[in-house]
Each structure stands twice: as C-alpha cells, then as structure tokens.
Amino acid sequence: MEGDSVLPATGGTAPEVLALAKIVTRLRAEVADLEGVASMAAVVERAKGALMAQTGVSADAAYQLLLDRAEKRRGTLLEECWILLSRIGPRPVPTAPPGAAEPAPASFPGDRPLLGDHGPGGSRALLARLAEELAGARTADDVAELLRALLGEAEDVDAVMIYRAAATGSLELAGHAGVDTALAEQWSHIPPLSRVAALEATIVREGVWLEDPDVDAAAYLLIGDSPERWPSRAWLAVPGSSPRTAVVGFLRSRAGRFDPPTRTLLRRAVRLCGGTLREGREPHGTATLHEDAEAVQSVFDTLPGPVVLLTPLRSEAGDVEDYRIDAAAPDSLDVAGRRGKELVGRRVLETYPTVAGTALWDGYLETLTTGTVYESEPFTYEEVSAGVPRRSVYSVRVSRLGDRLVVSWIRHDTSERESLRLAELQRLGNLGWVGWDLATDEVTWSDQVYAVFDRDPALGPIRIEELVGHLVADDVPRLGAAVERLLGEGRAVDEPFRVGTPKGVRHLRIVAKAQTDADGAPVEVHGFIQDLTELRDAELALVESERANLVQRGMLKAERALGARLQDTLLPLPEQSLDLAGLCVDVAYVPADTGVNVGGDWYSAIELPDKSALFVVGDVAGHGLPAVGTMAQLRFYTKGMTVTGSALPDVLGRLNTLLLHTATDRGSATATMVMGRYRPWDRRLTWVRAGHLPPLLIRGGEAGYLAQPEGCLLGAAFQSSYGQETIDLLPGDHLLFYTDGLVEDPGEDIDVGLGRLAETAVGVLADGRSEMMARTLAALRAGNRDDICVLDIHLPDDP
C-alpha cells in the first residue's frame, strides 16, 4: 500500500474509537520524545562516521550495518552505537611546545565532547558498557541491578527503582536494586496521589530532581524512613514508553545538585534502557520467537510482492489491541514510505492507522481465532500523496502461522496506472510503439502512432507492404533495404524517413528489432516510430540562419576592408613626428580590437597659407562606410574653409548645416570635433569644439584640461552656436587632442577616464618618452572597444 493512505470509514463502533484514541495518545508521546531523539543524533552520526572510516563503506551502508548488528545482538540502534564508540578510544589531544600557551578548544560542534568525563574511561565507555550488558538483561530487575552496578562508583547511585504505570494511573514496582525487601514491598504500589515524585515524572516527562532533603521532604512523599540515606534523588520517565510509561528512580548517597553532565548521563542511560523496558523481554521463549521471525524473514527476502508477519499484542484481559510486524518482504511499504525491514518492530496501527474497525481488521481477528484463511474482496483504498488523493484497489489475504498471521496483498490497478504513464510518455516524446507478428501478419500500433501519421484509428494500422505508398520517393530504397536487413538477418534498424500526410510531409524515425525463434528466424518485430518534424524544421531554420550570418559576416568583412583602405587613403599616418609652424606633432590612430566595421575617428594637421598651423580631431557617430563617408566630407570641407580664411566658429556652423542638409531617410549623421589654429609669431592657439572632449595641457610636470567654449555636436540642431577660446603655449608644453576611445570604458564614469589620462600622460613625460607621446598613450589602451585617435602638439624648449 503506497503513499499516505486513508481507508474510508465503514461505520464507527466503540472499539474502533478506543483503538484510534490509543494510537493518537501513543503518537503524541512519540512526538514529545523527538526532542530526546534529536539530542542523540550526534551519537548515531559519530558511530556512522567511525564505521565508515573503519570499513570504507558509504553512510547508508554504515547505518544499515549498525541496524543489522543491533538486530543480531537483540539490542537497539542506540546501544550498538555506544558499543562501537567505546572501542574507538578518545581522540588524541594536541600538546603545545614548552612555553607555549595551551591551544583553545575547537569551536566546531563535531569536535565537542558528547558528555563530561566521569571516572576512568569517561561517560562514553560507561554508556557503551551499559549498552553491551543490556543485551543480556531480560527483566526490570536485571536493568535496575545493571544501572546500580555501573553508576554506583561514578555517580554514587546507591539504589535504583523502576516503576510501570497501570491503566488506573497508579504505579507498580517492576524492578529494583539496592532496596531491601521490606521497603520494596512497602512501595510496590503507588496509588495516583499527588506529592509523589515518580508519578510527577510520568506527567512532566522532563525528570524530577530532588536535591535538598529538607525542601523535598516538605514537597514530596519520600521513599524510605530516613532521607539522610539518599539525600539526592532523580526520577526519569522512559521516553516513548506510552501507553505503559516506565519510570526509573536513581537514589544517591551523595548530597548536592546533579550537575549538567550527570543529568545528561542519567538521561542517556534511561534512554538506552528504554528498548529493554518497553519490549518487556522475558527469559522464557524469547530466543525461540526471534529465531522463528528470522527464519520467516529469510523466506520473505526471496518473495516478490508485499508480505508481512504479524504478532498479536494483547491487553491484560487477553484482547488483541494491535499487531507487531516481525518480518516483511522487500516490496512491503507503509503509508510513511518505510519499506521492507524498516517495518520490522513497528505496529500495524502505526503503519496503517485507519485499518482499525474495518472488515480487514475483523478478518485478522477471525483468522487468528479460527485459523481459516481470510481473502478480502477487492476494496478501494484512498492514498494521499503530496496532498493529492488517489484511489487504488487492493485485495488482501490473511493466513495463520502458529500464533501469528501472514498477510499479503495485491494491487489491481497497477497495470492501468502504468498504461496511463506510458501513454503520457509517448505523447510528450511524440512517439508510439509498433508491433508486427510475422506468423499472423498482424500489425499493432499504439494510439500515438496514429497521431504521428495523422491517420484515423478506425482505418487501422498501415501494413508494411502499404507503407511504400506513403513514403517520399527518395526514401523508398533506403528504408526498403533496412526492412530487408531486419526481416532477413534479424538486424536492428534505426532509420529516418519521410511520409506524406494530409498536413504535409513529416520527418519520422523508426527504431525496431526482431525477435527470433530457436532457429534464428525472425517471428516478431517490435519498435517505435517518432515524429521528428519539429526538430527537423528547427535544424533547417538553424542552418538557414547560419548561412545568412555567414553571408552577412562576409559582407561586413568586405565593407571593413574597403573602409580601411579608404581610411588609409584619407588618413596617412606619418612614420615620424611632424614639424609644423615650429611645433613637433606626434600622431596615433588605432582601430578598435573588436567588431568588423571601421569607425569614424579622424584627424588633420596641415600648414595654412599664412604659415599658421591647423589641427583637427573628430569622431563621426556610427561605423562602416557611412561613417567613413561622413568623415571624408568633414575633413575636406574643414580644410577648404580654413584655407580660405574663415573663422573657426564659422567653420563649425557651416559643417553643422552641411550634416543637417545631407541627412537621409535612415537618420542624420552626427559628429564631434575639436579644432585649433596656432600662430607661431605670438605662440597663440585659438580653438573651438563641437561636443568634443576638452584638450589636455601638460605644463611643468602637471596636467589639466582647458576650459571649454560653447558648442554642441555637429548635425544635432539648426540653431547651434559655437564660441572660441585662446591659450598661449610656452616652451615645453604638450597639448593633446584625442577621441573618446582613449578614455572611455564600459560602465565607467567619463571623469574617471579623464583623470586616468592626465595621470598617465604625466608619467609618460617623466619616463622621457615625450617625442612619442601620442603613440605611447594609444599603445597603453590594449583591448580597446573603440577607435583611438590622438594628436600631441608640443612646443620644444628650443623651437
């Protein structure tokens, strides 16, 4: 029975309600015990880690090995963990060299001690010894004597008393050690009264610690006539023992408080004893019961399907209250997802809580009483998985084996569910299975194959000999040869082919293999047909896109080559610095490292008829041949208008008008530009700008940017006006005209780039590379994403 299962109610009765109430009470008690389980998680995890280191197995394998050892020893998992940890020994403590400070304790939680040290061997060894000795303890008296013997020296435990709670709420003495017979008889029965520490421990479930005889005597009825014999006492309930709660009392001859390590030790000792006290191991017949269960389990391990062995659990009146699972086949599964041996030791009303009061529960009791085999009619069982209810149909068979029951069940709707999953898989994968019985010549298709062929299922499948009429002619020889290999040689085929359908040509794929008889002759063919039309269309679209990209890239490369040739023609770079009007001019132009288009950066440095010099650096927006064409226009018009004597602001105004009037339907061209005219007779430079970055002046080892005159970029607006500024150059000055590729980086503020350029330029001069200032600055911008154009105008010290 899979998932979180809920059987429908079949009529409530008083025994039903009582049984369910008991289960709810017990489960609530187990929830309260989870806090204690969490505190012991470190013990189990450390034992797993130690076993992994010793044997080299995985964590899951180590856990299963601990379970197997505990089962073989007839103990609990916790007992086995303590036994293992006791054999490892304490971790070595690193010693500090002479004179060095002692190392601080590690702060990693896994390196902290589980308990404080209590005498030789510490608490770990004591708990491990307790776990090992508990394997031979059968009665509560055995447990009490064992606790007194082990804790007597370490914790001065002089006596131990163990009580079990009766249905009336009273306590019955189940075992004791260190208490004389008369006192044990006097306190053998404790009625449900107040002021009894043992009874209070069953309620608070956190332990009652009596540490002051005077105060405790006033608050509780103390066991024994003289409190001085046991000046400190502790009463601890056994976790998870509901509905018959067990309480363990430790009576110490030592006065004073129970320190935290001692409290932890006593709690863990009680938890270790819980398995023995809850199971109520008895010396007579126990070994035989375990041997019988182990024999049945060995048989169940070989069986398919779900099967369990149930042992009835009876009340004091002899009525069956529940059943314990003592063996389970690997395919057995409960509502919580526990499988196989994980179910062993659990109760039926824990694993299948809603079975109480149903016809199946009555069938259990009838088979146990009469020995007749009970076989249920198929019934609906509702599973709740991830909050979604699902109904399944089961049949259960119950038979008696001695005083136990063997229960097996069959799920009837498995094949239907698997069929639905297979159909969904075929739909999602757009494929369907095909079969061909060569002896009867019968062809079978799944529903999805009809969808693949776009064929009405009422027409039936297409026979092999008819398939040729649906194939694209070019695919007939290849698919025919594949079918011949399949039928003649029995070789598997995996071939693509195309068929014509009412909705057009579809690209399909067939994968098939033949099943042969004893002589090797094919008798059946099985396989699947998959529709690859969408995949093929995507592949063709991708190929076409790649072809278009290659063509476009080739055109761009050709355009770049043409633009580069035009650029080289228009902007011939000198092999050495230019001498113009007594100035040394260094020029650098570096195209962008990325992209296939040329940019629109340009420069001009010429001597005018009056022996003055003109310097221009510009940047046309965009790339490619349009940018190169605009750059050529600006360069030629600038030179022509300046040679005829036009003022620099007038030149920018006319260039702005030129770009606005030559705009195309695809948009107007824009450009930035900085232009300067130098007069050697008075060393004065007059300069203008159109949306360009300011020139950089380096004088006396310091760098600064010139104050900018008015002027927006060219081609932006008809009513643009442009101002001009002047500067007198001094011997040793360097004035840089440049484009934005020298300073801009993606995502960086332009002021950062300008500051970096000023600092770098000063450093270049300090290194004695003033004659190649422009080329050095351009070379330092490796991996540039934009074209770089730099003009260094230098007035020598001795012009």
Side-chain angles (χ1 to χ4, degrees):
M1 301 181 183
E2 302 175 357
D4 296 332
S5 306
V6 180
L7 281 173
T10 57
T13 61
E16 254 182 76
V17 176
L18 180 60
L20 288 176
K22 290 181 179 180
I23 295 304
V24 170
T25 302
R26 180 161 53 83
L27 291 179
R28 284 177 177 173
E30 291 181 0
V31 170
D33 292 337
L34 288 178
E35 295 180 3
V37 172
S39 69
M40 299 305 293
V43 178
V44 178
E45 291 301 319
R46 183 162 292 180
K48 283 168 55 179
L51 195 56
M52 292 167 62
Q54 290 176 353
T55 61
V57 298
S58 65
D60 292 339
Y63 183 73
Q64 185 60 46
L65 188 56
L66 288 170
L67 289 176
D68 294 342
R69 290 181 178 179
E71 183 180 358
K72 186 175 181 181
R73 196 186 294 270
R74 295 175 187 158
T76 64
L77 173 63
L78 194 56
E79 295 171 6
E80 189 60 37
C81 291
W82 281 117
I83 293 172
L84 175 65
L85 291 174
S86 69
R87 297 170 180 168
I88 299 175
R91 296 183 178 183
V93 179
T95 58
E102 290 294 329
S107 60
F108 185 67
D111 293 331
R112 295 173 185 165
L114 294 174
L115 294 168
D117 192 15
H118 292 270
S123 295
R124 179 187 294 182
L126 191 150
L127 290 172
R129 183 180 173 190
L130 174 61
E132 195 163 9
E133 296 293 337
L134 280 172
R138 297 301 174 190
T139 65
D141 283 329
D142 295 341
V143 176
E145 188 60 46
L146 182 57
L147 288 173
R148 178 173 178 266
L150 292 179
L151 298 175
E153 181 180 355
E155 294 296 338
D156 297 324
V157 173
D158 184 61
V160 176
M161 303 182 75
I162 300 176
Y163 284 92
R164 284 198 177 96
T168 60
S170 61
L171 293 181
E172 303 293 339
L173 185 62
H176 61 86
V179 178
D180 57 66
T181 305
L183 187 60
E185 182 65 26
Q186 178 185 353
W187 290 89
S188 63
H189 175 80
I190 300 178
L193 302 174
S194 60
R195 300 180 61 238
V196 178
L199 277 170
E200 184 177 329
T202 66
I203 299 173
V204 299
R205 303 185 66 84
E206 295 179 355
V208 177
W209 308 92
L210 307 181
E211 300 165 325
D212 187 331
D214 296 333
V215 175
D216 298 334
Y220 296 99
L221 297 173
L222 300 181
I223 294 176
D225 297 332
S226 175
E228 288 76 15
R229 180 181 176 184
W230 299 308
S232 60
R233 310 159 186 229
W235 292 94
L236 303 173
V238 176
S241 57
S242 297
R244 297 184 176 184
T245 304
V247 182
V248 180
F250 298 96
L251 286 68
R252 293 201 309 180
S253 59
R254 181 200 310 174
R257 298 181 58 82
F258 293 85
D259 58 23
T262 300
R263 293 191 179 199
T264 302
L265 172 63
L266 296 183
R267 287 194 186 100
R268 293 184 175 178
V270 170
R271 182 172 294 279
L272 276 175
C273 298
T276 304
L277 297 177
R278 287 196 302 268
E279 294 172 12
R281 298 174 183 167
E282 299 297 336
H284 302 292
T286 305
T288 303
L289 290 175
H290 278 288
E291 291 172 1
D292 290 346
E294 290 177 359
V296 174
Q297 182 65 59
S298 64
V299 175
F300 280 7
D301 288 340
T302 65
L303 294 179
V307 186
V308 294
L309 176 68
L310 303 182
T311 298
L313 303 177
R314 300 180 182 272
S315 65
E316 293 180 354
D319 299 328
V320 177
E321 292 184 329
D322 204 342
Y323 298 87
R324 185 181 66 242
I325 301 175
D326 284 342
D331 290 339
S332 304
L333 187 71
D334 77 345
V335 297
R338 293 172 289 227
R339 183 182 296 274
K341 291 183 179 180
E342 294 178 342
L343 300 174
V344 174
R346 301 189 179 275
R347 302 184 181 189
V348 168
L349 293 182
E350 175 187 353
T351 53
Y352 308 103
T354 57
V355 75
T358 65
L360 180 59
W361 188 261
D362 296 337
Y364 285 172
L365 186 59
E366 178 184 352
T367 300
L368 188 64
T369 304
T370 65
T372 58
V373 175
Y374 171 77
E375 293 185 353
S376 74
E377 295 294 329
F379 63 91
T380 301
Y381 194 86
E382 186 174 281
E383 303 169 335
V384 180
S385 179
V388 180
R390 295 188 178 90
R391 293 179 177 270
S392 301
V393 180
Y394 293 92
S395 293
V396 178
R397 186 179 191 278
V398 185
S399 58
R400 191 171 72 182
L401 179 64
D403 294 332
R404 296 171 171 172
L405 296 178
V406 176
V407 181
S408 61
W409 60 90
I410 299 174
R411 182 172 178 174
H412 296 288
D413 61 345
T414 302
S415 59
E416 178 183 352
R417 180 170 296 182
E418 293 302 323
S419 298
L420 293 175
R421 290 176 178 174
L422 179 60
E424 185 68 9
L425 176 64
Q426 294 183 68
R427 185 187 66 81
L428 293 175
N430 206 7
L431 56 84
W433 58 266
V434 295
W436 184 18
D437 189 331
L438 300 182
T440 61
D441 200 25
E442 181 182 358
V443 180
T444 306
W445 279 7
S446 69
D447 294 340
Q448 191 62 30
V449 180
Y450 290 99
V452 168
F453 276 87
D454 197 18
R455 182 178 175 87
D456 187 354
L459 299 176
I462 299 175
R463 306 180 67 81
I464 296 296
E465 58 271 19
E466 299 172 351
L467 184 59
V468 176
H470 296 268
L471 294 176
V472 174
D474 293 343
D475 294 343
V476 172
R478 179 168 45 80
L479 188 60
V483 172
E484 288 182 4
R485 292 194 304 271
L486 176 66
L487 301 181
E489 306 172 17
R491 294 167 56 186
V493 300
D494 185 349
E495 290 288 339
F497 64 98
R498 293 167 294 172
V499 296
T501 69
K503 295 182 180 180
V505 175
R506 288 192 174 178
H507 296 263
L508 307 181
R509 172 196 180 198
I510 182 171
V511 177
K513 67 176 182 178
Q515 183 176 349
T516 60
D517 58 16
D519 299 326
V523 292
E524 290 184 3
V525 173
H526 302 282
F528 68 84
I529 293 178
Q530 184 177 16
D531 189 351
L532 303 177
T533 304
E534 293 184 1
L535 179 60
R536 182 60 177 166
D537 291 344
E539 290 177 349
L540 293 176
L542 180 60
V543 170
E544 185 63 29
S545 176
E546 290 178 349
R547 182 183 297 111
N549 286 337
L550 290 174
V551 172
Q552 182 68 17
R553 192 172 184 83
M555 294 174 61
L556 291 175
K557 286 184 176 180
E559 182 177 323
R560 178 181 176 84
L562 176 59
R565 287 196 297 270
L566 289 174
Q567 219 171 32
D568 291 341
T569 302
L570 296 171
L571 303 175
L573 292 178
E575 297 181 357
Q576 56 187 3
S577 298
L578 299 174
D579 291 327
L580 291 175
L583 298 174
C584 292
V585 183
D586 188 35
V587 181
Y589 178 84
V590 181
D593 282 352
T594 58
V596 295
N597 279 320
V598 294
D601 290 17
W602 62 281
Y603 76 94
S604 181
I606 61 173
E607 186 176 286
L608 298 177
D610 61 356
K611 302 302 181 181
S612 63
L614 177 68
F615 303 103
V616 187
V617 168
D619 186 359
V620 178
H623 295 81
L625 292 179
V628 175
T630 302
M631 178 266 290
Q633 276 186 320
L634 294 177
R635 189 169 186 270
F636 291 140
Y637 277 102
T638 300
K639 182 187 295 186
M641 285 185 286
T642 308
V643 168
T644 58
S646 298
L648 298 185
D650 294 339
V651 174
L652 291 182
R654 292 168 186 166
L655 291 177
N656 179 62
T657 303
L658 171 68
L659 291 186
L660 289 171
H661 281 288
T662 56
T664 63
D665 295 337
R666 291 178 295 176
S668 59
T670 59
T672 65
M673 198 168 76
V674 59
M675 178 168 51
R677 183 172 184 175
Y678 175 73
R679 300 187 306 192
W681 50 87
D682 57 5
R683 297 176 178 172
R684 173 163 293 183
L685 178 79
T686 303
W687 68 284
V688 293
R689 58 175 286 274
H692 205 84
L693 295 173
L696 176 64
L697 175 66
I698 307 167
R699 174 179 290 172
E702 296 183 357
Y705 291 96
L706 301 185
Q708 302 187 70
E710 178 187 6
C712 69
L713 76 162
L714 304 176
F718 280 100
Q719 302 301 323
S720 298
S721 60
Y722 299 92
Q724 70 178 15
E725 291 287 342
T726 60
I727 181 174
D728 294 331
L729 296 183
L730 302 178
D733 285 353
H734 285 265
L735 186 64
L736 293 181
F737 288 4
Y738 54 91
T739 56
D740 54 8
L742 188 65
V743 294
E744 285 186 343
D745 276 334
E748 183 182 78
D749 190 84
I750 188 63
D751 291 336
V752 176
L754 292 173
R756 181 175 54 246
L757 173 60
E759 182 179 353
T760 304
V762 172
V764 170
L765 290 181
D767 292 341
R769 293 178 286 177
S770 62
E771 295 182 357
M772 301 177 61
M773 168 75 78
R775 281 170 281 181
T776 301
L777 292 175
L780 292 176
R781 294 285 292 171
N784 51 298
R785 300 166 57 92
D786 197 2
D787 294 353
I788 295 175
C789 185
V790 188
L791 222 65
D792 172 33
I793 304 169
H794 172 49
L795 179 61
D797 292 332
D798 185 16

